[in-house]
């Protein structure tokens, strides 16, 4: 949430969140969705999902991470595009 905006506890934000472990003990997880700010040190809880993916740290992890990232980004871009069209049509 480092986009220059000021957020408060309880705000809901739309963002893409990456979770990973540098020692390979958990899967690479990328989520696009709505998240509620729980405290101002970056703790959030997920309240809505646009798309999410998990990739285990095994075999062709680099290729799988790249493919999964594009899947999440395409879904997020599609949603943003459809919402923008909806807002333009509401004028």
């Amino acid at each position: 949430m480092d986009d220059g905006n000021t957020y408060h506890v309880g705000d809901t934000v739309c963002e893409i969140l990456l979770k990973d472990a540098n020692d390979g003990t958990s899967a690479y997880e990328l989520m696009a969705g709505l998240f509620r700010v729980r405290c101002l040190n970056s703790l959030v809880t997920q309240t809505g999902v646009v798309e999410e993916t998990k990739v285990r740290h095994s075999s062709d992890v680099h290729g799988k991470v790249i493919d999964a990232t594009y899947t999440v980004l395409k879904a997020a871009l599609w949603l943003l595009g459809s919402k923008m069209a909806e807002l333009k049509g509401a004028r």
Side-chain angles (χ1 to χ4, degrees):
M1 295 185 305
D2 189 16
D3 59 3
N5 292 324
T6 301
Y7 296 100
H8 304 285
V9 173
D11 288 352
T12 298
V13 296
C14 181
E15 67 178 8
I16 296 175
L17 184 75
L18 169 66
K19 292 183 354 182
D20 198 9
N22 62 356
D23 62 359
T25 57
S26 69
Y28 164 95
E29 186 173 1
L30 189 65
M31 301 166 281
L34 298 174
F35 297 87
R36 181 159 294 128
V37 178
R38 291 298 180 189
C39 68
L40 298 179
N41 71 349
S42 301
L43 178 66
V44 295
T45 55
Q46 190 172 15
T47 60
V49 177
V50 172
E51 182 70 49
E52 65 182 331
T53 189
K54 292 182 181 181
V55 177
R56 290 178 45 96
H57 290 278
S58 60
S59 65
D60 178 28
V61 69
H62 292 93
K64 290 177 184 176
V65 164
I66 291 169
D67 291 343
T69 300
Y70 278 114
T71 299
V72 171
L73 292 176
K74 285 178 186 176
L77 288 172
W78 176 85
L79 181 64
L80 287 172
S82 66
K83 288 298 178 186
M84 291 300 291
E86 184 180 307
L87 290 172
K88 286 180 183 177
R91 289 185 191 174

